[in-house]
Amino acid sequence: LLFHFYQLFCQHLDTAMQIYPHKRSFSYSDLLFAKKVSHIQASVDFDSHYYLDLLTPIIEDSESELLPTLLTYLLDGGGEVKATAEMLYVHRNTVLYRLNKARSLLHCDLNKMPQAYDVYLAAALQRLHNTTI
């Protein structure tokens, strides 16, 4: 198990750092998730397009701060409004407003699985996509 963790660490640390730029240490599950996201991004099949297309309504919305708020909430803030507000230097009500608008545009409750997981994976792919452009 230790050797497998070391392999994951060596092969997917850069990806994990791009997905979670505020983290300083990574768990085994963080690295496994980074591996999964990396494989989806590299694929040319339906999966990559499906996940990236999930965020299209937010990307196309006139309110430019929706996507950064959603990415921060899901990937950096651990799904906590207070932590997200502190990271973005905005009031918690601003975060709540943006998340409610994102939920409405996505037609998704960010607290219900499995659709919330798809949005989480899409957020990771979006962040990885934006750092590799």
Side-chain angles (χ1 to χ4, degrees):
L1 184 65
L2 187 57
F3 179 72
H4 191 263
F5 179 80
Y6 179 72
Q7 277 186 312
L8 276 175
F9 182 81
C10 291
Q11 294 171 355
H12 299 287
L13 178 63
D14 290 340
T15 303
M17 290 174 67
Q18 290 172 357
I19 294 170
Y20 306 109
H22 300 284
K23 276 193 172 186
R24 296 295 164 240
S25 62
F26 299 95
S27 68
Y28 184 75
S29 61
D30 291 334
L31 295 168
L32 277 177
F33 182 73
K35 178 181 177 182
K36 180 177 184 155
V37 171
S38 181
H39 286 301
I40 291 172
Q41 184 192 36
S43 74
V44 291
D45 60 6
F46 172 76
D47 285 347
S48 180
H49 297 291
Y50 165 75
Y51 289 112
L52 288 173
D53 287 347
L54 281 177
L55 299 179
T56 299
I58 291 177
I59 294 168
E60 292 177 350
D61 191 77
S62 62
E63 193 168 337
S64 64
E65 293 303 313
L66 287 181
L67 185 61
T69 301
L70 181 65
L71 297 182
T72 302
Y73 175 76
L74 293 173
L75 301 173
D76 305 319
E80 295 180 18
V81 173
K82 181 180 178 189
T84 302
E86 289 172 358
M87 294 178 103
L88 294 174
Y89 302 104
V90 297
H91 193 274
R92 68 180 301 279
N93 288 345
T94 302
V95 172
L96 287 170
Y97 165 79
R98 291 175 186 169
L99 290 175
N100 284 331
K101 187 167 183 182
R103 283 183 186 105
S104 174
L105 289 170
L106 295 173
H107 306 290
C108 172
D109 182 349
L110 298 173
N111 297 319
K112 290 195 177 176
M113 295 295 172
Q115 191 175 13
Y117 179 74
D118 287 352
V119 173
Y120 184 86
L121 203 119
L125 277 166
Q126 180 67 33
R127 186 168 280 168
L128 191 60
H129 180 72
N130 283 343
T131 59
T132 57
I133 294 177

